[in-house]
Amino acid sequence: MKISTIITFFFFLASITAFGQASSVKPQFDGYLFAYFEGSGSKELQEQLRFAVSQDAINWKTLNNNQPIIPSSDISQTGGIRDPHLLRGADGKAFYMVATDMFTIKDGWESNPGIILMKSDDLLDWKHSIIDLEKLYPKKFKNVKWVWAPQAIYDPSAKKYMVYFTIRYHNDAKLDFYAAYANEDFSGFEQEPKLLFSPKYGGIDGDIVYKDGLFHLFFKGNTKDANGKEFKNGIRQATSKSLQGPWEEDFTYLDAYADTTVVVEGSSIFRLNDSDDYILMYDLYANGRYEFQRSTDLFNFTQKPESFKKDFHPRHGSVISISRQEAQRLQQKWGGVPTALLQPIEGGERFHFTAKGNPLLTHHYTADPAALVHADTLWLFTGHDFAGGQKGYKMKDWLVFSTTDMKNWTEYPVPMKITDFSWAKSGDAYAGHVAERDGKYYWYISTNWSGIGVGVSDRPEGPYRDALGKPLLTNADCFDSKHSWACIDPAIFIDDDGQAWIFWGNRECYYAKLKDNMIEIDGDIKRIDFEGFRFTEAPWIHKHNGKYYLSYATEFPEKIAYAMADTIDGPYEYKGILNEIAGNSNTNHQAIVEFKNQWYFIYHNGGINPDGGSYSRSVCMDPMFYNPDGTIKRIVMTTEGVQ
């Protein structure tokens, strides 16, 4: 009973097809949702409903930091739930979930009263009903001991949802499967549950899937000797041409551990998206593992089990396929959805999310922010670090976001990749800056030792193309530099008279004018130097009340310092530290922008716990304020961010 089972919408497509009711449109699924209860941590919190999401059904990320998505006390009679089973409705518009109403931490294993029925239109908000079999059907179930591991399945012949589960009575050790049809609103049963299938030696954790004219019931069964003593157990199946039976029991064990001392239960079968492969997963509950075997015909399974990669310890769970839109809704509610399911792909696709403090973005690792205000919209352009655990700066594309209120954000498809610049042999998508001129948007990017390039687009969100087919600047333009990564971190400033300037560099800071076409240097390249200037990288120019402000990363680990001048080419006067070392990150890189009469300081840190760090960074934002004399108040880095 310690593991539940699953059914996916693919079953419903197949089953509906078999009964001549198939939709002509095949739904598009992009990922998977795993409902489970937890096998580690506080015992008081283990028997509660949790969710995890995966793009490939192998690598899983827990939602809500592995905390319950709904407290068991809100939905159960006992205060605990086990064995959650998810089901996508046959119409594709609703979701159903059933679970065992049981709190063993408090009540032990002696008895549980029944199960829980739940229904949702969006996977986020669930209505629930408690089914106490002993109270509802005392004539049949007065002496019931266990009501375990419920599952739901759509019966296309009856056009109803059937709920089935394992029953054991106090005076009978036999474990049988019972079933009943749910009523129209999935809040109860239409009639008293009846016997569905009685395995020879009993069975628990049943999961039914339809394929090629047969219903397959996978369950945990066992084998007993002549004296009734169990000497073997594992995952078996029974088949039937009708959901109501009769069921033909196959006494072959399917799991790889049936002939060992390792015990498994809670078999759960689901089909991979866009594949003929089915996954038979099960819980190695005594070993704290979750593994699976594959099949294409549901009779022959791979013999070598495979393991899931996950950041939680699931018990008795189930899986359904989900769309990108559903994954994005789950992200908005609980967070934790893998980036691959959130990133828009098609040109018109968008991901809308609400910032909840710092880091500003938690579904990507982002760095090196640049910002542009256009009309009533702030556009945020970032680098894109690979996920945690990197040993260096691994960045292959850039990202773009927008907001009109600093709270609600829109993410767009990847606007530009390092491979869009054929000359960039380094393969490194380093820091950039976007400027607008005459209705076109120019994205100046650095590529480590390959130089600074320019992408151009008719829209701030892109897509961008290489405007030059070659670098705008290279190490040869960095006349005072001796190291290979000197030509990085471009920053663009367009002055009130329309003159565009570019600043860049590492260790040495260079600047030059840009021609009106924004893709050529106009005149000599110069170098900035002044007393107290300990320049590392990341220059940024902005203007306030007629003064020019040069901010930059200084020393290492990096802080942000700044200087002021009356003209853009100086002389600059050092004014001190603006932003201290950003947590868990050796680098710091800022953007400074005014938006709707408020100045903002945008930077990155390593603040995503536990995988953030110097090579997997996160963009943050806090308000910035000036002193009466025009100097800038020190930035206060906060977890709350922009309020």
Side-chain angles (χ1 to χ4, degrees), residues 568-613:
I568 194 167
D569 51 0
Y572 282 88
E573 182 180 351
Y574 177 71
K575 293 298 182 181
I577 299 299
L578 183 57
N579 180 224
E580 294 289 349
I581 296 171
N584 204 27
S585 175
N586 286 328
T587 61
N588 206 335
H589 193 121
Q590 81 295 353
I592 296 174
V593 66
E594 184 182 22
F595 181 60
K596 296 186 177 180
N597 300 315
Q598 173 63 56
W599 285 87
Y600 295 96
F601 185 87
I602 312 170
Y603 58 103
H604 67 233
N605 64 14
I608 291 183
N609 188 25
D611 293 328

Side-chain angles (χ1 to χ4, degrees), residues 13 119 170 208 276 284 309 402 539 570 605:
L13 290 174
K119 183 178 180 181
H170 281 286
I208 301 174
D276 292 330
L284 289 77
K309 296 180 180 179
S402 70
N605 64 14

Side-chain angles (χ1 to χ4, degrees), residues 94-199:
F95 302 89
Y96 302 89
M97 186 156 42
V98 289
T100 306
D101 191 345
M102 194 171 192
F103 198 11
T104 64
I105 304 303
K106 178 173 68 72
D107 301 327
W109 290 91
E110 183 58 25
S111 182
N112 75 292
I115 63 175
I116 300 155
L117 305 186
M118 301 175 67
K119 183 178 180 181
S120 173
D121 294 327
D122 57 8
L123 290 173
L124 309 181
D125 300 305
W126 294 85
K127 296 179 181 178
H128 77 280
S129 300
I130 295 171
I131 307 296
D132 188 322
L133 264 66
E134 186 174 8
K135 290 180 180 178
L136 291 172
Y137 309 104
K139 184 177 179 180
K140 178 70 176 178
F141 296 105
K142 182 178 181 180
N143 198 35
V144 70
K145 179 176 182 177
W146 292 333
V147 188
W148 276 4
Q151 299 259 71
I153 185 171
Y154 182 69
D155 184 343
S157 61
K159 298 182 180 179
K160 299 176 183 179
Y161 292 92
M162 188 181 80
V163 179
Y164 56 101
F165 40 84
T166 293
I167 288 288
R168 180 186 169 182
Y169 293 95
H170 281 286
N171 58 352
D172 187 349
K174 185 71 186 302
L175 292 158
D176 289 325
F177 291 103
Y178 279 72
Y181 286 114
N183 57 20
E184 188 172 353
D185 63 1
F186 207 72
S187 62
F189 295 152
E190 288 186 342
Q191 67 285 315
E192 179 183 272
K194 297 176 181 175
L195 183 67
L196 177 70
F197 171 50
S198 181

Side-chain angles (χ1 to χ4, degrees), residues 164-463:
Y164 56 101
F165 40 84
T166 293
I167 288 288
R168 180 186 169 182
Y169 293 95
H170 281 286
N171 58 352
D172 187 349
K174 185 71 186 302
L175 292 158
D176 289 325
F177 291 103
Y178 279 72
Y181 286 114
N183 57 20
E184 188 172 353
D185 63 1
F186 207 72
S187 62
F189 295 152
E190 288 186 342
Q191 67 285 315
E192 179 183 272
K194 297 176 181 175
L195 183 67
L196 177 70
F197 171 50
S198 181
K200 182 176 181 179
Y201 298 115
I204 60 173
D205 302 348
D207 182 24
I208 301 174
V209 63
Y210 180 87
K211 177 176 170 57
D212 299 335
L214 279 180
F215 291 94
H216 298 252
L217 170 58
F218 295 88
F219 63 97
K220 180 179 181 179
N222 61 84
T223 306
K224 297 179 180 179
D225 61 21
N227 297 317
K229 182 179 180 181
E230 178 181 313
F231 64 90
K232 188 175 183 178
N233 62 60
I235 308 304
R236 297 212 306 249
Q237 74 167 305
T239 55
S240 174
K241 293 182 179 180
S242 168
L243 193 55
Q244 298 296 330
W247 295 89
E248 183 178 347
E249 185 173 0
D250 187 336
F251 294 93
T252 303
Y253 288 95
L254 301 174
D255 65 282
Y257 295 98
D259 293 320
T260 74
T261 58
V262 176
V263 288
V264 307
E265 59 186 15
S267 57
S268 185
I269 190 86
F270 66 96
R271 186 176 176 179
L272 293 179
N273 299 335
D274 301 318
S275 172
D276 292 330
D277 281 357
Y278 287 81
I279 297 294
L280 174 66
M281 68 181 192
Y282 42 76
D283 182 4
L284 289 77
Y285 57 95
N287 299 77
R289 304 203 309 271
Y290 228 95
E291 296 182 350
F292 63 93
Q293 294 164 239
R294 301 173 187 260
S295 175
T296 57
D297 62 8
L298 298 183
F299 290 106
N300 300 287
F301 287 84
T302 54
Q303 293 303 299
K304 184 178 180 181
E306 302 174 65
S307 295
F308 295 119
K309 296 180 180 179
K310 49 190 171 42
D311 57 352
F312 56 104
H313 296 86
R315 297 295 320 284
H316 203 150
S318 61
V319 172
I320 63 169
S321 297
I322 58 173
S323 67
R324 296 175 64 81
Q325 292 74 24
E326 290 160 352
Q328 291 170 0
R329 290 205 303 264
L330 292 166
Q331 170 69 21
Q332 284 288 84
K333 179 81 171 184
W334 291 297
V337 171
T339 299
L341 288 173
L342 302 177
Q343 175 67 54
I345 297 176
E346 303 297 332
E349 194 174 344
R350 304 289 184 263
F351 173 45
H352 302 283
F353 63 97
T354 301
K356 299 178 180 178
N358 285 324
L360 180 68
L361 308 159
T362 57
H363 60 285
H364 288 292
Y365 291 97
T366 52
D368 305 328
L372 170 69
V373 174
H374 185 70
D376 67 342
T377 301
L378 183 143
W379 293 87
L380 176 63
F381 308 88
T382 76
H384 184 195
D385 282 341
F386 271 48
Q390 301 302 317
K391 303 301 182 182
Y393 298 108
K394 193 171 182 181
M395 309 169 76
K396 299 301 177 184
D397 56 21
W398 294 269
L399 302 176
V400 59
F401 312 85
S402 70
T403 183
T404 58
D405 61 8
M406 306 302 283
K407 283 294 183 184
N408 299 293
W409 290 81
T410 299
E411 179 178 359
Y412 302 83
V414 170
M416 193 167 56
K417 301 177 181 178
I418 190 61
T419 51
D420 294 330
F421 300 89
S422 60
W423 49 266
K425 303 303 182 183
S426 66
D428 294 324
Y430 280 9
H433 190 128
V434 178
E436 185 271 336
R437 167 85 82 177
D438 298 330
K440 289 189 178 296
Y441 296 84
Y442 298 88
W443 197 329
Y444 300 79
I445 54 94
S446 49
T447 64
N448 199 354
W449 48 264
S450 290
I452 289 172
V454 187
V456 64
S457 175
D458 295 327
R459 302 185 302 273
E461 70 269 28

